[in-house]
Amino acid sequence: MVFLHGYGQSRMGWMTTPDGREGWSDMFLRKGHSVWLIDEPHRGEAGATSVSGDISTKTLDQRWYTQFRIGKWVDGKSEAYEGSQFPNDDESLDQFFRQMTPDTGMTSDMGADYDGEMVAEAVAAAIDEVYERTGKNSILVTHSQGGRAGWLTAKYTDHIASIIAIEPGSGAEAGTEEYNAMLEKGISAAIYFGDYIDNGDPEIQATAAWQGMRQTSYDFAEAYTADGGTAEVIDLPKEGITGNDHFIFQDLNNDVVADHVENWIKENVQ
């Protein structure tokens, strides 16, 4: 399993949680997978770059809280949604904000100049190396912004067995080069979404935004299945798993979701 982080993150997000519990990397190792963690180019320990960028000095606590459906940030204090699985004590919040990692090659603090093709080529190179070392194709697990690069990666390697996308910004659009590459190479796909989308605060812009982003994943899964591929959107509240925000893999029930992912792999990945 090869893990690719999202915007403002590094591989550390897969390794632990804001309150110090074990992350998905250890959980899936215990389930019998080899685990490979990537810091994408310009991020974390891969931050050295020949591309100039600006690191924002803005405090983005409120944006992260609302955009990623954790709750509201009011007068410098967090107000998590009712039933939230986010570890919301003061020490965990401090660690959550400390894990945010700047991209040294960007000029936008909104990720507007994210180079998905460049990231995809780098991820493909990592997956090819995993194949050389193990002789096995990879399950690529992506999060958020990394979801875009995940779909694109299918163009650059023949060694992806499946893509598991945790709340990507969109699904792969039918008819695109990456969509066709996935279909031709028999790559199965599962897309996971958490809570507070259908039942989110209608006055917060993020609620409608996430409804739209999730719909693109449903559109992808419908088209991909009709074209003979295997794709599924897993809406966790419909599975009886509630209270999850955008950081599903770090929430208090991350072990429950990991078990669901493992069961999906057993049923859908050769």
Side-chain angles (χ1 to χ4, degrees):
M1 296 181 76
V2 176
F3 288 80
L4 175 64
H5 58 78
Y7 174 71
Q9 301 285 286
S10 71
R11 72 186 188 279
M12 183 58 67
W14 304 111
M15 298 168 67
T16 187
T17 66
D19 57 337
R21 290 170 293 112
E22 70 176 3
W24 273 15
S25 58
D26 283 356
M27 288 183 185
F28 283 100
L29 275 170
R30 193 175 298 111
K31 294 177 188 299
H33 302 276
S34 62
V35 169
W36 310 76
L37 306 177
I38 294 175
D39 278 348
E40 70 177 40
H42 307 165
R43 202 76 62 82
E45 290 188 5
T49 175
S50 60
V51 179
S52 63
D54 300 319
I55 296 177
S56 174
T57 58
K58 293 179 182 177
T59 53
L60 301 177
D61 300 3
Q62 182 175 359
R63 181 198 297 175
W64 277 72
Y65 233 69
T66 55
Q67 178 66 26
F68 299 132
R69 308 191 323 279
I70 298 169
K72 298 180 181 180
W73 192 260
V74 181
D75 296 329
K77 186 71 176 177
S78 65
E79 293 183 4
Y81 288 130
E82 182 178 355
S84 171
Q85 291 284 349
F86 184 78
N88 198 49
D89 60 278
D90 289 343
E91 184 175 350
S92 296
L93 279 171
D94 180 58
Q95 291 302 313
F96 174 69
F97 290 126
R98 287 175 185 269
Q99 80 179 25
M100 296 178 187
T101 306
D103 188 310
T104 57
M106 283 189 185
T107 58
S108 165
D109 63 18
M110 294 290 285
D113 49 353
Y114 179 70
D115 189 344
E117 295 284 353
M118 179 267 293
V119 174
E121 290 187 63
V123 173
I127 287 173
D128 286 345
E129 183 173 340
V130 170
Y131 182 79
E132 290 175 6
R133 294 191 187 192
T134 68
K136 295 182 178 181
N137 292 338
S138 292
I139 298 168
L140 175 59
V141 184
T142 67
H143 178 230
S144 193
Q145 185 187 64
R148 172 61 179 156
W151 309 132
L152 294 169
T153 300
K155 299 191 298 181
Y156 299 110
T157 177
D158 295 328
H159 298 301
I160 300 174
S162 183
I163 296 175
I164 296 173
I166 308 301
E167 296 212 345
S170 67
E173 185 177 351
T176 59
E177 187 178 357
E178 58 267 22
Y179 176 96
N180 292 336
M182 290 177 61
L183 201 59
E184 291 167 6
K185 297 175 184 181
I187 299 172
S188 59
I191 307 176
Y192 279 78
F193 283 95
D195 213 333
Y196 313 113
I197 298 177
D198 293 317
N199 56 337
D201 187 339
E203 295 184 2
I204 293 178
Q205 183 180 8
T207 298
W210 279 109
Q211 290 170 355
M213 287 186 279
R214 186 186 58 184
Q215 185 58 50
T216 69
S217 294
Y218 275 115
D219 293 343
F220 156 71
E222 182 180 0
Y224 200 70
T225 302
D227 285 335
T230 298
E232 182 178 2
V233 176
I234 292 105
D235 191 335
L236 288 176
K238 293 180 180 179
E239 300 286 314
I241 301 172
T242 60
N244 290 104
D245 50 77
H246 188 51
F247 296 90
I248 294 169
F249 50 92
Q250 292 192 319
D251 285 333
L252 295 172
N253 63 346
N254 64 344
D255 56 336
V256 174
V257 184
D259 287 344
H260 194 290
V261 171
E262 178 65 11
N263 289 335
W264 191 91
I265 290 171
K266 289 178 178 178
E267 292 176 4
N268 295 281
V269 183
Q270 299 297 320

